[in-house]
Amino acid sequence: MSKSKPGLIPPSPDADAYAKTADANAAEIFDREEPFALFADWLEDAKRKEPNDANAMALATADADGLPDVRMVLLKDVDPDGFVFYTNLESAKGQQLAVNAKAALCFHWKSLRRQVRVRGVVQPVAADEADAYFASRARDSRIGAWASKQSRPLESRFALEKAVAREAARFGLGEVPRPPHWSGFRIVPMSIEFWRDRPFRLHDRMTFSRPDSHSPWQVDRLYP
């Protein structure tokens, strides 16, 4: 059996490491009846503490054969209807969601020692919603959405730069509309789990679950 290089795997947290987040994780979380206000509170905490991309989340999908795939994306909206992100519909995740419209998310805020896990069904956002978000992006990002054949083989960086230059010239100083192959998805959660680190792996876990989007949430505390 092969072994990793000595010192490669970090040691488990010690008492001093846990003490640094003890105050942040002292508040009671098991008195909530719905998950979105708690998620908003935690995201606000993450925005103050995380050095980069507090709205970053791991998005897990599966292809037609059931083989899972995961990557980091950015949360762009959240409300009681669900969690929204945007992508090229012809990308790997776009094609996977076209054949298997279910997904999972994981937010991991290391500086707070917290995570949130989401599982649910996936719906496309409305065209006007996608248009409004696309229009809010930086112009170079909008041009990049036209130039990139996301997830497909790229012969060189120069080829990408040529594609960007070509699209920039095509639009000139005019408006850059949303490409037909670019839009958003909303994950409508069937379960949301909140997790807080605790010493000696005795973590706090609370889950909200429901059989469908019209049912009330059931709230359960879980063993760590």
Side-chain angles (χ1 to χ4, degrees):
M1 180 182 295
S2 62
K3 294 184 178 181
S4 60
K5 180 180 178 181
L8 180 63
I9 304 300
S12 297
D14 57 18
D16 290 340
Y18 284 115
K20 293 178 181 178
T21 55
D23 290 342
N25 288 330
E28 180 58 60
I29 63 171
F30 297 102
D31 57 356
R32 304 295 186 108
E33 296 182 356
E34 67 85 30
F36 289 101
L38 179 56
F39 179 83
D41 290 346
W42 280 22
L43 183 56
E44 287 293 343
D45 288 344
K47 286 164 59 179
R48 291 189 291 269
K49 294 289 187 178
E50 290 295 319
N52 295 299
D53 297 331
N55 59 326
M57 57 188 186
L59 167 68
T61 56
D63 62 20
D65 295 324
L67 187 65
D69 205 354
V70 66
R71 77 290 285 162
M72 301 302 297
V73 300
L74 295 177
L75 176 71
K76 288 302 180 181
D77 195 15
V78 59
D79 59 31
D81 291 328
F83 300 79
V84 175
F85 68 94
Y86 291 87
T87 188
N88 185 316
L89 301 179
E90 298 171 351
S91 65
K93 57 185 171 295
Q95 294 183 48
Q96 289 163 2
L97 289 171
V99 298
N100 187 2
K102 298 177 182 178
L105 305 173
C106 183
F107 298 84
H108 180 211
W109 296 305
K110 292 190 293 184
S111 61
L112 292 168
R113 297 188 180 276
R114 297 176 185 172
Q115 71 175 5
V116 177
R117 298 168 60 203
V118 179
R119 301 174 73 207
V121 297
V122 180
Q123 301 172 349
V125 304
D128 58 348
E129 187 176 355
D131 288 342
Y133 172 69
F134 190 79
S136 74
R137 302 180 86 206
R139 183 180 179 84
D140 286 350
S141 294
R142 284 178 278 158
I143 290 173
W146 282 95
S148 176
K149 299 177 181 179
Q150 194 175 53
S151 300
R152 281 155 286 184
L154 173 64
E155 60 188 80
S156 67
R157 181 73 188 183
F158 181 61
L160 175 60
E161 292 170 349
K162 283 200 304 181
V164 171
R166 182 177 63 250
E167 295 298 336
R170 181 163 73 93
F171 289 111
L173 298 177
E175 185 58 39
V176 182
R178 178 173 64 89
H181 57 265
W182 193 98
S183 191
F185 292 101
R186 175 174 283 103
I187 297 180
V188 182
M190 297 300 109
S191 69
I192 304 178
E193 181 189 314
F194 293 83
W195 178 99
R196 297 193 306 191
D197 201 0
R198 281 292 188 262
F200 311 113
R201 303 296 188 264
L202 300 177
H203 309 306
D204 285 333
R205 293 176 65 188
M206 178 174 65
T207 183
F208 295 83
S209 59
R210 57 186 180 178
D212 58 67
S213 61
H214 304 294
S215 297
W217 293 103
Q218 176 178 322
V219 187
D220 292 293
R221 187 166 188 157
L222 304 179
Y223 274 97

